[in-house]
Amino acid sequence: MDPEILEFDLGLGGGGSSGRDGDDDANIGLDVDEDMADSPAPSSILASNSNGGGFGTGGGEIYLPEGDLLDLEPYEGMEFESEEAAKAFYNSYARRVGFSTRVSSSRRSRRDGAIIQRQFVCAKEGFRNLNEKRTKDREIKRPRTITRVGCKASLSVKVQDSGKWVVSGFVREHNHELVPPDQVHCLRSHRQISGPAKTLIDTLQAAGMGPRRIMSALIKEYGGISKVGFTEVDCRNYMRNNRQRSLEGDIQLLLDYLRQMQAENSNFFFAVQGDEDQALTSNVFWADPKSRMNYTYFGDTVTFDTTYRSNRYRLPFAPFTGVNHHGQPVLFGCAFLINESEASFVWLFKTWLMAMSGRPPVSITTDHDAVIRSAIMQVFPETRHRFCKWHIFKKCQEKLSQVFLKHPTFEADFHKCVNLPESIEEFESCWLSLVDRYELRDHEWLQMMYNDRRHWIPVYLRDTFFAEMSITQRSDSMNSYFDGFVNASTNLNQFFKLYEKALESRNEKEVKADYDTMNTSPALKTPSPMEKQASELYTRKLFTRFQEELVGTLTFMASKSDDDDDVITYQVAKFGEDHKSYYVKFNVLEMKAACSCQMFEFSGLLCRHVLAVFRVTNVLTLPSHYILKRWTKNARSSVILEERSSDVYTNYLESHTVRYNTLRHETFKLVDEGSKSLDTCNVAIDALQQAAKRLALATKNEGRATLVNGRIRGDSARDASRANTTNHKMLCQPLSEDDMDKKIRELTNELDYASRKCEVYRSNLLSVLKDIEDHKLQLSIKVQNIKISMKDGL
């Protein structure tokens, strides 16, 4: 029988240490008596054989194997993906049988010191040494009971060249009685305080209850002591550890947490400025694997905020955040800064950039701070830096409080001056008018903000992507990611619980948005193919925003104001509001449009002004270069579907639109030139007539090669034979000019047919890839929903 490969979810859900081996730094040789109880014991295991892979939740919950695997017993030759998988399996087996386990010994490689062999034994293996040096010179006040009786039951595993671990020895027999199922929870390696139980203990402990009363409440809550999964002693120890941890330094707690996270996942990144031994006076940065993955998809624009104060020492908690494909905030990493010096920010930005694979963002938004700006200029010289407008408005209320009291209309006028101007000239004029009207020309803070206007006034920033849905909207607070979880009174002891709750809450919201996007269809408001196309590509939130712009075009008129060869300028204005116009430059051949409002550059969505021009120029679908992948349903997909639509009909519409607009553009130029005089008019008419004859002939020839069900009309075998005969004749005798033209047309038609056929194959392939990605996303959503429902059930 082929060895069965088992995979286990080893997520840790309980208290104790991080679960890392305590002998990683030992010398070559044997390390003895590492008790499994020193690390959280998995309460159950997810197993699968080689025919169906195992999938763990990755969230600290572990599930028992089902079916035949419940009764699976170790055997020599059984394979595991890792040493920890073997350890977890043997502990699960011990729970079923009724004994406790521990790690007895290990063997390391003399070449590199890596562990190459482990032995897991029954906890009653061996005998206690009563003559140890540590007990010889002192009196033992409370001697422990004898538990070791020389049991030989064990499981030995060793690593193979492939990296998998294989069972090299298994002893089934015990020399003592096994524990019945209703007492298994008392065995040391099977005792574990679950996450929900810890939460309840923390709550009751904070309310002043003791361990005995807390255990009574837990027994009642879970329906019996055996279902609680641990004893009163464990509860008492957990509560004592809680009190001890609260007495330790907050920064040390932070570092311990980060080290534990890194031990559980090697992709967890954290760094301490300077030496870790001096961490109490150093800055700390960390980014979990999801944050780093988020950045690969949505790292084009970043927000960095230092306004949080998370503990009694007022150390600034500084998160890096962004915006996902649903317009929701996502996390890119966090830091605690002991000070806010320029050197601290330079270190932090360099460290963060290293964690994000060295790829700087297109834009970054921060609080208004000269020190931060200097650090950004050093580390991100090519990144566009913006000051948070929300913070500036908030600071304005403080700096201009007397003006607000004296002039109730000032705040509204100030907001209009900042948000409404459509051009730099309009802003400059509005600003001068504002400071003159309220006699603020000499106000020091306001003058400083004016000097920094290129870093926060929207009209100066519209040419850069910031992932905001509207240029004139009031910016949300930068610290929105942790709002409702972290506040000014939060200390570090409380912080990580709230931090993890915030991450969980944000993740659930994204899962819900993914589910809504993939499983419901939005209501269309127009018969436009462009709206249907957008509904199939964009997420629900982004499509709703695009739909607003598309429907808004119905009240806008677009008229040509200038024609410069390939680029046509259109004046676009709302009906009856010609005084407020926008200008769209449209390149017909390249299908590229640029609006004076610069909404696409700023938000990644086309504005109603460009869409109005598309409407009057017969552009029926969105050109592919105006569909940003970061706003689509497949934003997190690893498959790149190029920048072209995978729909054949859409491709046809795009190419037809290009041909139509090109012909119309050239015809208009001919009409403009031909109408200048009678002679030029006659020449133009003659040219049009000749063109009409040639067009009729081309149309007639093209009709002979039309496609029917993907084939050129006519019998393919007969046509092929005829083509071979013709080719033979061509080789044997010279061709006339008419024959050559005819042959060229035939070859052109064949080439066109082959091109169309390739396009169909390509489109079908991309459609399959898209379906695969959609299916992957739906499976991911289902898994997340199962996690959430199981968590709610607990």
Side-chain angles (χ1 to χ4, degrees), residues 305-346:
D305 181 25
T306 57
T307 59
Y308 282 109
R309 293 296 184 268
S310 65
N311 58 50
R312 72 184 75 119
Y313 304 110
R314 296 184 62 81
L315 301 179
F317 165 54
F320 292 85
T321 61
V323 179
N324 69 7
H325 51 321
H326 299 292
Q328 302 168 334
V330 290
L331 192 63
F332 297 148
C334 300
F336 275 104
L337 298 176
I338 300 300
N339 61 71
E340 298 184 14
S341 66
E342 183 175 322
S344 294
F345 286 119
V346 169

Side-chain angles (χ1 to χ4, degrees), residues 255 259 271-284 347:
L255 293 177
R259 292 188 187 106
V272 178
Q273 187 178 8
D275 192 343
E276 279 197 36
D277 294 336
Q278 302 173 344
L280 294 179
T281 58
S282 299
N283 300 311
V284 182
W347 171 85

Side-chain angles (χ1 to χ4, degrees), residues 354-531:
M354 179 173 62
M356 300 299 126
S357 302
R359 180 170 62 91
V362 173
S363 62
I364 187 169
T365 302
T366 73
D367 194 5
H368 179 254
D369 188 289
V371 175
I372 294 178
R373 177 167 62 178
S374 177
I376 286 177
M377 291 174 63
Q378 295 178 53
V379 184
F380 309 119
E382 303 300 323
T383 297
R384 188 70 177 272
H385 183 201
R386 177 179 71 165
F387 296 138
C388 177
K389 187 172 59 176
W390 182 86
H391 282 130
I392 291 175
F393 283 155
K394 191 174 181 180
K395 182 68 72 174
C396 179
Q397 296 174 355
E398 174 188 334
K399 297 292 185 179
L400 299 172
S401 57
Q402 295 300 320
V403 180
F404 276 61
L405 291 173
K406 184 178 180 180
H407 303 286
T409 60
F410 172 77
E411 183 176 13
D413 289 342
F414 183 70
H415 279 262
K416 289 178 182 178
C417 180
V418 170
N419 290 322
L420 298 185
E422 297 291 340
S423 66
I424 293 176
E425 294 75 14
E426 185 180 349
F427 165 75
E428 296 287 352
S429 174
C430 182
W431 184 272
L432 289 176
S433 175
L434 179 77
V435 296
D436 285 342
R437 187 184 318 139
Y438 295 101
E439 300 178 347
L440 294 171
R441 272 186 177 265
D442 298 326
H443 193 281
E444 184 178 352
W445 181 84
L446 206 58
Q447 183 61 40
M448 179 180 67
M449 298 314 303
Y450 174 75
N451 293 339
D452 288 337
R453 62 193 180 280
R454 288 177 176 80
H455 291 279
W456 67 283
I457 298 296
V459 74
Y460 289 96
L461 299 163
R462 290 177 178 175
D463 60 346
T464 304
F465 182 76
F466 283 96
E468 290 187 8
M469 296 300 98
S470 172
I471 292 175
T472 59
Q473 71 179 11
R474 185 185 76 82
S475 297
D476 290 329
S477 173
M478 289 198 303
N479 54 5
S480 59
Y481 189 92
F482 290 100
D483 273 0
F485 298 95
V486 178
N487 54 49
S489 63
T490 305
N491 60 47
L492 262 179
N493 268 327
Q494 302 166 327
F495 172 77
F496 282 107
K497 293 178 183 177
L498 300 174
Y499 167 84
E500 291 177 349
K501 284 183 180 179
L503 265 59
E504 183 178 355
S505 174
R506 292 296 179 185
N507 183 58
E508 289 179 1
K509 288 181 180 179
E510 181 174 338
V511 169
K512 179 64 166 58
D514 282 337
Y515 179 84
D516 291 341
T517 294
M518 299 301 296
N519 292 279
T520 59
S521 299
L524 304 183
K525 297 181 178 180
T526 73
S528 167
M530 186 179 293
E531 185 183 17

Side-chain angles (χ1 to χ4, degrees), residues 721-756:
S721 175
R722 186 180 300 161
N724 290 333
T725 303
T726 302
N727 289 337
H728 178 72
K729 289 181 179 179
M730 287 178 63
L731 294 173
C732 296
Q733 61 185 18
L735 294 175
S736 65
E737 186 174 347
D738 290 341
D739 289 338
M740 288 183 66
D741 290 342
K742 181 178 179 181
K743 186 59 183 175
I744 289 173
R745 287 194 297 271
E746 289 177 355
L747 292 174
T748 301
N749 289 335
E750 290 179 16
L751 179 62
D752 183 56
Y753 164 66
S755 298
R756 295 185 187 184

Side-chain angles (χ1 to χ4, degrees), residues 4 6 47-49 65-73 89 96:
E4 195 171 18
L6 299 175
S48 67
N49 58 31
E66 297 178 356
D68 295 337
L69 294 176
L70 278 170
D71 301 321
L72 192 61
E73 185 176 86
F89 173 76
R96 298 197 306 270

